[in-house]
Amino acid sequence: MVNIRSKGEIDRIGKSGRVVFDTLNLLENYIVPGSTGEELNRLAEEYIRSQGYVPAFNGYMGYPATLCVSINDAVVHGIPDRRQFRDGDIVSIDCGVVKDGYYGDSARTFAVGEVSEEVEKLLDVTEKSLYRGIEKAVVGNHVSDIGHSIQEYVEEFGFSIVRELVGHGIGTELHEEPQIPNFGEPGRGTILKEGMCLAIEPMVNLGLKEIYTKPDGWTICTKDGKPSAHFEHTVVVTSDEARILSNGTLDG
Ligand code: MF3
Ligand code: CO
């Protein structure tokens, strides 16, 4: 079953989305050579708690941190550690928060200093593919229209879509129905209705789509060792356009 959220609930999800947005903006200032995932994780936790919110990932299925910090060939779910970022790295930061049971979730990939032209393109295309997907999150569309649109856009540039990890409904749980693959045929799956809240999150590899999980049990990496990017927003379906709840456009 896919939840339909009331105006009051959307407001709460939006407030959590707002805190995630502000957290990512804060962290952006520290995406420089020499910073570490551990430092970012500490800053994020402090900030989130100072706003009266709680980090949503810590403890989720045993995940051990506030943020996921995934460097270069790490696609998602990297555990923050003491490695220093270097010029030319890319760092994907995924953040979720909860307050009074309502969740927000968003991710961005940042460049550390100067990155190569093809990596720059990877970030640009991945972010734009998220917006291609968000455009399809309108009443009457099928859930698979989102992923179809993302895939079509990404593959045009010769990049590849990760298949094993998907977006998700969000609201009173971090992960709710429906699953939102970032690939596939249009016109399949749940028909979108006003008030559905979705976390759309393309993961795009510069090289081949295949991935593996590191021995830490969490970090997902590309098999070919090439970089991967991840952008995510929490949105609510409306009749004319999806409203983004994690981009700071909401009062909160
Ligand atoms: N933002 C991730 C997602 O959308 C959540 C990280 S999973 C966790 O699925 F276990 F690390 F929390
Ligand atoms: Co998510």
Coordinates of all heavy atoms in Angstrom, one line a residue, residues 22 31-32 55 59 72 99 104-105 114-115 130 144 146 190 201-202 216 218 230 232 240:
D22 N 19.5 22.0 4.7 CA 20.4 22.9 5.5 C 21.6 22.2 5.9 O 22.7 22.8 5.9 CB 19.6 23.5 6.7 CG 18.5 24.5 6.3 OD1 18.6 25.0 5.2 OD2 17.6 24.7 7.1
I31 N 33.7 20.5 2.0 CA 34.1 19.6 1.0 C 35.4 20.1 0.3 O 35.4 20.7 -0.7 CB 33.0 19.4 -0.1 CG1 31.7 19.0 0.6 CG2 33.4 18.3 -1.1 CD1 31.6 17.6 1.2
V32 N 36.5 20.0 1.0 CA 37.8 20.5 0.6 C 38.9 19.4 0.9 O 38.7 18.5 1.7 CB 38.2 21.8 1.3 CG1 37.3 22.9 0.9 CG2 38.2 21.6 2.8
P55 N 19.1 12.1 13.6 CA 19.6 11.5 12.4 C 18.8 10.2 12.2 O 18.6 9.4 13.1 CB 21.0 11.2 12.7 CG 21.4 12.1 13.8 CD 20.1 12.3 14.6
G59 N 21.5 3.5 13.2 CA 20.7 2.5 13.8 C 19.8 1.8 12.9 O 19.2 0.7 13.2
N72 N 34.3 8.5 -4.6 CA 34.8 8.0 -5.9 C 34.0 6.8 -6.4 O 32.9 6.9 -6.8 CB 36.3 7.8 -5.9 CG 37.1 9.1 -5.7 OD1 36.5 10.2 -6.0 ND2 38.3 9.1 -5.2
K99 N 11.7 13.7 12.8 CA 11.2 14.3 14.0 C 9.7 14.0 14.1 O 9.0 14.0 13.2 CB 11.3 15.8 13.9 CG 10.9 16.6 15.1 CD 11.0 18.1 15.0 CE 10.6 18.7 16.3 NZ 10.7 20.2 16.2
G104 N 12.8 13.0 6.3 CA 13.2 13.6 5.1 C 14.5 13.0 4.7 O 15.3 12.5 5.6
D105 N 14.8 12.9 3.4 CA 16.0 12.2 2.9 C 16.5 12.9 1.6 O 15.7 13.1 0.7 CB 15.5 10.7 2.6 CG 16.6 9.8 2.2 OD1 17.8 10.1 2.2 OD2 16.2 8.6 1.8
E114 N 39.3 20.5 -8.0 CA 39.1 20.4 -9.5 C 39.0 18.9 -9.8 O 39.8 18.1 -9.5 CB 40.4 20.9 -10.1 CG 40.3 21.2 -11.6 CD 39.7 22.7 -11.8 OE1 39.7 23.5 -10.8 OE2 39.3 22.9 -12.9
V115 N 37.9 18.6 -10.5 CA 37.7 17.2 -11.0 C 37.8 17.2 -12.5 O 37.7 18.2 -13.2 CB 36.4 16.5 -10.6 CG1 36.3 16.5 -9.1 CG2 35.2 17.3 -11.2
L130 N 17.9 13.3 -12.0 CA 17.0 13.4 -10.9 C 15.8 14.3 -11.3 O 14.7 14.0 -11.0 CB 17.7 13.9 -9.7 CG 16.9 14.3 -8.5 CD1 16.0 13.1 -8.0 CD2 17.7 14.8 -7.3
S144 N 6.9 3.7 -12.8 CA 8.0 3.4 -13.7 C 8.3 4.5 -14.7 O 9.4 4.5 -15.4 CB 7.8 2.1 -14.4 OG 6.9 2.2 -15.5
I146 N 9.0 7.4 -13.9 CA 10.1 8.1 -13.3 C 11.4 7.5 -13.7 O 12.3 8.2 -14.3 CB 10.0 8.1 -11.8 CG1 8.7 8.8 -11.3 CG2 11.2 8.7 -11.1 CD1 8.3 8.7 -9.9
T190 N 2.6 1.2 -9.7 CA 1.6 2.0 -9.0 C 1.3 3.3 -9.9 O 2.2 3.9 -10.4 CB 2.2 2.5 -7.7 OG1 2.6 1.3 -6.9 CG2 1.2 3.3 -6.9
E201 N 16.1 8.8 -6.3 CA 17.5 8.8 -6.1 C 18.3 8.0 -7.1 O 18.8 6.9 -6.8 CB 17.8 8.4 -4.7 CG 17.2 7.1 -4.2 CD 17.7 6.7 -2.8 OE1 18.9 7.0 -2.5 OE2 16.9 6.3 -2.0
P202 N 18.6 8.6 -8.3 CA 19.4 7.9 -9.3 C 20.8 7.8 -8.8 O 21.4 8.7 -8.2 CB 19.3 8.9 -10.5 CG 18.8 10.2 -10.0 CD 18.0 9.9 -8.8
D216 N 32.9 -4.4 4.7 CA 32.2 -3.8 5.9 C 30.7 -4.1 5.9 O 30.1 -3.7 6.9 CB 32.5 -2.3 5.9 CG 31.9 -1.5 4.8 OD1 31.0 -2.0 4.1 OD2 32.4 -0.4 4.5
W218 N 28.4 -2.7 4.1 CA 27.6 -1.6 3.8 C 28.0 -0.9 2.5 O 27.2 -0.7 1.6 CB 27.7 -0.5 4.9 CG 26.8 -0.8 6.0 CD1 27.2 -1.3 7.2 CD2 25.4 -0.7 6.1 NE1 26.1 -1.5 8.0 CE2 25.0 -1.1 7.3 CE3 24.4 -0.3 5.2 CZ2 23.6 -1.2 7.7 CZ3 23.0 -0.3 5.5 CH2 22.7 -0.7 6.8
H230 N 25.4 10.2 -7.1 CA 24.1 10.0 -6.4 C 23.5 11.3 -6.0 O 24.1 12.1 -5.3 CB 24.3 9.1 -5.2 CG 23.1 8.8 -4.4 ND1 23.1 8.7 -3.0 CD2 21.8 8.5 -4.8 CE1 21.9 8.4 -2.6 NE2 21.1 8.2 -3.6
E232 N 19.6 12.8 -4.7 CA 18.3 12.4 -4.2 C 17.5 13.6 -3.6 O 18.0 14.4 -2.9 CB 18.5 11.4 -3.0 CG 17.2 11.0 -2.3 CD 17.5 9.9 -1.2 OE1 18.6 9.8 -0.7 OE2 16.5 9.1 -0.9
D240 N -0.2 19.0 -10.9 CA 0.5 19.7 -12.0 C 2.0 19.4 -12.0 O 2.6 19.1 -13.0 CB 0.2 21.2 -12.0 CG 0.4 21.9 -10.6 OD1 0.6 21.1 -9.6 OD2 0.4 23.1 -10.6

